[in-house]
């Protein structure tokens, strides 16, 4: 049964094939012949292998030792052997990089034990690598180009890891060190998982980078236990670890962190009963018979009405075997309380119903709590509770105190404003609109300065950006400005119904702009997360195809 590998015998009565690799050195060269047979069928010019004096007897091509470790990086194929891995030769970092982040093309298993692993290469070289499974093109400050990436056939679960293999082309040698970040973000740009490390885990530092070189760079991205199931996007960035400055990216959609947004990843639910509470505050507070709060962020001590306060929470379901009540507390309520009285509430649905967490299961949730525009200035306690759709369940818990400030509010439109040409109402939701009450502008040889006066008919729960554009006679873009209203000082989440919001935009004009033709000035609002513009409606409330408000034509 063990012929011809007699040294692979370990007493099966005590499960020897399982305990031997964990307790004693295993392997005297058996299995290397299987690795060589695999490579002889698809030869690589250079192979880096353990037992480099034996492997050439089995393999027809050139063989290099695994020391120095750079041989494993530059070889066309690398063969790791079991007792080499057990002894971390040539070093623990490179062994960990191969074993945890790279997938072997071939594994030699003898009698229940993996003896040798064949990895494709090179990790760093000058020959154009095979086209990655997901090809793309994106540059970082003319230093590196991301040619594509590979996720394998992975659908990670919460509490598991995702291996992301990036394929880089070096354009120029950096003068400073470089780190790569890989993040898992949702549709609002919120980060759910992240990993930072130098390319190739620091095994191929930037002083070895050369223009025209290719790097295959594998990263392990742990998905924290409790991450809700759903579809996320990968964001990849390159930055200077000494300054934290992210390199400018282009060629793909840009994420909120300044990196490139790659494809989508489906995270599946795995019930996890333990997790690292990696938030600033830990607690064990029962908010209902079934749900405990075990970790949270406290709000900032000061905020202005309209601000969005990011709050991360970690929940845990009880370990009770039997549940005699329906678990309907599937929403979280944030309560702004002053002197013991509720002033405003915000209800968010939890990302997964409690009954699906599993017994003792942990769930993470992220929220953006609006500082309501209806609040007056003063100190408030931000409370959190569970909600069943009809009422608050249990006793709310205080996340902390917030001193709220309020901007001045203006409800009268200046007399010297100009009304726009045509419809002015943008639909936010049924019975919710944002209208342009008027505008005025000043024109110089080099710039067009515009004041827009917005007004909503209801309190808004989403943040929108304003665009103002100058178009020529053929509707080609001449100049533009995009910003949160009032240069970020008056976000739409802070508007009171009927309030007049003064929003200023500065459009720099090209120096050679012709003066003998008409120009058109347009404006509107859009969702910065999706780029989707709000729809323009007519007087009857019906949607109009164009999503812009046309101001009066202008001549330079």
């Amino acid at each position: 049964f063990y012929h011809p590998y007699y040294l692979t015998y370990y007493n099966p009565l005590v499960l020897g094939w399982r305990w031997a690799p964990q307790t004693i050195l295993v392997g005297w060269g058996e299995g290397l012949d299987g690795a060589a047979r695999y490579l002889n069928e698809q030869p690589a010019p250079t192979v880096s292998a353990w037992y480099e004096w034996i492997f050439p007897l089995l393999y027809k091509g050139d063989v290099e030792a695994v020391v120095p470790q750079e041989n494993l990086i530059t070889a066309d194929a690398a063969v790791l052997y079991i007792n080499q891995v057990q002894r971390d030769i040539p070093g623990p970092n490179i062994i960990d990089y191969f074993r945890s982040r790279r997938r072997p093309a071939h594994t030699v298993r003898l009698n229940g034990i993996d003896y040798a692993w064949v990895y494709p290469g090179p990790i760093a070289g000058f020959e154009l690598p095979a086209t990655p499974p997901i090809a793309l093109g994106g540059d970082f400050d003319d230093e590196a180009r991301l040619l594509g990436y590979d996720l394998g056939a992975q659908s990670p679960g919460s509490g598991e890891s995702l291996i992301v293999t990036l394929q880089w082309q070096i354009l120029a040698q950096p003068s400073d060190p470089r780190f790569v970040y890989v993040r898992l973000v949702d549709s609002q740009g919120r980060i759910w998982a992240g990993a930072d490390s130098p390319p190739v885990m620091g095994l191929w530092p930037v002083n070895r980078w050369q223009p025209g070189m290719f790097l295959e760079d594998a990263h392990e991205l742990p998905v924290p236990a409790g991450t809700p199931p759903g579809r996320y996007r990968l964001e990849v960035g390159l930055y200077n670890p000494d300054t934290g400055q992210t390199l400018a990216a282009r060629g793909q959609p840009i994420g909120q962190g300044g990196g490139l947004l790659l494809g989508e990843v489906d995270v599946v639910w795995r019930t996890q009963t333990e997790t690292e509470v990696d938030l600033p505050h830990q607690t064990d507070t029962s908010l209902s018979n079934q749900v405990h709060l075990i970790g949270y962020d406290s709000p900032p001590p000061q905020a202005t009405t309209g601000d969005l306060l990011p709050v991360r929470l970690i929940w845990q379901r009880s370990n009770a075997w039997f549940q005699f009540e329906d678990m309907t507390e599937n929403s979280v309520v944030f309560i702004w309380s002053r002197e013991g009285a509720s002033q405003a509430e915000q209800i968010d649905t939890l990302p997964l119903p409690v009954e699906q967490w599993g017994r003792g299961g942990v769930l993470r949730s992220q929220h953006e709590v609006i500082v309501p525009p209806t609040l007056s200035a003063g100190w408030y306690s931000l409370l959190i509770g569970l909600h069943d759709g009809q009422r608050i369940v249990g006793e709310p818990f205080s996340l902390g105190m917030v001193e709220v400030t309020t901007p001045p509010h203006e409800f009268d439109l200046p007399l010297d404003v100009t009304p726009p040409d045509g419809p002015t109402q943008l639909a936010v939701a049924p019975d919710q609109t944002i209208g342009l009450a008027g505008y005025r502008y000043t024109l110089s040889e080099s710039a067009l300065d515009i004041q827009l006066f917005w007004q909503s008919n209801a309190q808004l729960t989403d943040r929108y950006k304003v665009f103002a554009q100058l178009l020529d006679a053929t509707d080609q873009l001449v100049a533009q400005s995009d910003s949160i209203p009032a240069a970020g000082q008056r976000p739409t989440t802070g508007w009171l119904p009927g309030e007049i919001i003064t929003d200023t935009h500065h459009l720099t004009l090209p120096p050679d702009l012709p003066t003998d033709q008409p120009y058109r000035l347009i404006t509107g609002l859009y969702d910065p997360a999706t780029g989707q513009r709000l729809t323009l409606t007519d007087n009857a409330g019906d949607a109009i195809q164009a999503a812009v408000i046309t101001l009066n034509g202008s001549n330079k």
Side-chain angles (χ1 to χ4, degrees):
F1 181 76
Y2 291 92
H3 174 79
Y5 307 108
Y6 300 109
L7 294 178
T8 65
Y9 173 81
Y10 297 95
N11 192 338
L13 296 179
V14 290
L15 303 179
W17 71 92
R18 289 191 177 181
W19 63 258
Q22 313 303 323
T23 56
I24 63 175
L25 286 178
V26 172
W28 295 86
E30 57 273 23
L32 286 177
D33 56 336
R37 280 196 299 270
Y38 171 80
L39 287 169
N40 284 329
E41 293 175 357
Q42 39 194 1
T46 304
V47 174
S48 179
W50 186 237
Y51 289 146
E52 69 275 9
W53 61 90
I54 296 177
F55 205 71
L57 302 176
L58 307 169
Y59 177 60
K60 299 175 183 178
D62 295 332
V63 179
E64 296 179 336
V66 299
V67 180
Q69 68 179 21
E70 287 76 20
N71 289 347
L72 290 169
I73 302 290
T74 58
D76 299 291
V79 178
L80 300 188
Y81 192 64
I82 185 169
N83 67 35
Q84 168 201 358
V85 170
Q86 288 177 310
R87 290 184 281 177
D88 283 333
I89 298 174
N93 287 345
I94 196 166
I95 292 299
D96 178 67
Y97 183 77
F98 271 88
R99 298 293 295 133
S100 67
R101 301 190 181 190
R102 306 195 73 234
R103 291 185 293 272
H106 181 68
T107 300
V108 179
R109 169 168 285 202
L110 302 175
N111 298 314
I113 298 176
D114 291 344
Y115 273 80
W117 302 267
V118 180
Y119 293 90
I123 294 174
F126 287 93
E127 291 188 15
L128 184 66
T131 302
I134 305 175
L136 47 85
D139 290 356
F140 290 86
D141 255 2
D142 296 323
E143 285 188 2
R145 176 168 297 146
L146 186 58
L147 301 176
Y149 65 103
D150 182 15
L151 303 178
Q154 304 171 79
S155 290
S158 48
E160 300 174 350
S161 289
L162 175 68
I163 303 300
V164 183
T165 302
L166 307 173
Q167 194 176 94
W168 300 98
Q169 181 183 14
I170 307 304
L171 304 178
Q173 186 180 51
S175 56
D176 299 306
R178 294 289 177 252
F179 268 48
V180 176
Y181 73 73
V182 182
R183 295 172 181 167
L184 213 56
V185 300
D186 63 16
S187 58
Q188 283 76 46
R190 297 176 295 199
I191 301 171
W192 289 87
D196 293 57
S197 72
V200 198
M201 212 168 74
L203 298 169
W204 198 258
V206 293
N207 59 13
R208 290 182 175 271
W209 293 15
Q210 299 178 47
M213 178 177 285
F214 298 95
L215 296 179
E216 186 178 275
D217 177 28
H219 294 263
E220 182 178 13
L221 179 60
V223 180
T227 299
R231 182 158 290 183
Y232 299 83
R233 291 195 72 171
L234 281 170
E235 182 178 347
V236 172
L238 200 61
Y239 69 97
N240 183 338
D242 295 336
T243 64
Q245 182 66 40
T246 300
L247 273 66
R250 65 176 182 272
Q252 291 287 126
I254 306 299
Q256 294 190 11
L260 297 180
L261 282 176
L262 309 187
E264 296 179 330
V265 176
D266 288 318
V267 173
V268 298
W269 177 250
R270 301 272 193 270
T271 296
Q272 302 284 331
T273 58
E274 295 183 2
T275 187
E276 177 187 0
V277 180
D278 51 2
L279 300 185
H281 300 280
Q282 300 183 26
T283 184
D284 188 11
T285 301
S286 176
L287 294 183
S288 76
N289 291 334
Q290 284 294 311
V291 179
H292 287 235
L293 180 69
I294 62 174
Y296 65 95
D297 287 322
S298 59
Q302 288 91 29
T304 301
T305 53
D307 286 350
L308 299 181
L309 309 185
V311 174
R312 297 171 298 168
L313 306 169
I314 303 179
W315 309 88
Q316 187 165 35
R317 183 178 160 185
S318 75
N319 276 309
W321 282 98
F322 300 102
Q323 171 61 39
F324 300 102
E325 300 177 355
D326 292 335
M327 290 175 285
T328 57
E329 58 270 40
N330 291 321
S331 296
V332 55
V333 58
F334 297 94
I335 306 166
W336 292 90
S337 176
R338 190 174 190 180
E339 298 178 354
S342 174
Q343 304 297 312
E345 295 181 359
Q346 175 180 323
I347 299 176
D348 289 359
T349 303
L350 287 170
L352 191 70
V354 177
E355 62 183 12
Q356 297 181 26
W357 299 5
R359 190 172 67 89
V362 170
L363 178 75
R364 294 172 181 260
S365 65
Q366 295 192 40
H367 308 267
E368 291 180 335
V369 182
I370 300 172
V371 183
T374 54
L375 297 183
S376 57
W379 283 93
Y380 293 82
S381 177
L382 181 58
L383 306 176
I384 186 176
L386 290 171
H387 202 278
D388 66 0
Q390 301 294 327
R391 59 183 178 85
I392 297 174
V393 179
E395 190 69 23
F397 172 79
S398 177
L399 298 178
M401 299 292 294
V402 182
E403 184 181 19
V404 174
T405 58
T406 61
H409 299 289
E410 180 61 58
F411 292 87
D412 295 324
L413 185 67
L415 297 177
D416 60 342
V417 302
T418 303
D421 289 342
T424 63
Q425 298 298 312
L426 296 165
V428 177
D431 300 323
Q432 286 189 358
T433 61
I434 297 175
L436 183 66
Y439 76 100
R440 56 191 176 197
Y441 70 88
T442 58
L443 179 64
S444 68
E445 289 297 320
S446 61
L448 177 64
D449 291 293
I450 311 167
Q451 277 190 320
L452 305 172
F453 298 90
W454 300 101
Q455 191 175 40
S456 66
N457 68 349
Q459 190 172 322
L460 305 174
T461 58
D462 293 299
R463 282 195 167 189
Y464 299 101
K465 293 184 78 171
V466 174
F467 67 90
Q469 297 179 348
L470 184 66
L471 308 179
D472 65 15
T474 62
D475 280 344
Q476 296 300 305
L477 182 65
V478 173
Q480 70 174 353
S481 168
D482 289 61
S483 71
I484 297 292
Q489 299 304 305
R490 294 304 312 273
T492 52
T493 47
W495 296 4
L496 290 171
E499 181 182 8
I500 299 294
I501 305 297
T502 304
D503 177 30
T504 300
H505 292 264
H506 179 82
L507 279 66
T508 302
L509 301 177
D512 55 350
L513 189 63
T515 59
D516 57 350
Q517 61 175 282
Y519 294 89
R520 190 162 66 100
L521 191 59
I522 64 171
T523 188
L525 290 98
Y526 66 95
D527 184 343
T530 63
Q532 184 68 40
R533 291 178 175 180
L534 296 184
T535 303
L536 190 65
T537 61
D538 58 21
N539 294 333
D542 297 325
I544 300 175
Q545 185 175 5
V548 299
I549 298 173
T550 300
L551 310 182
N552 282 339
S554 170
N555 286 285
K556 185 175 184 300

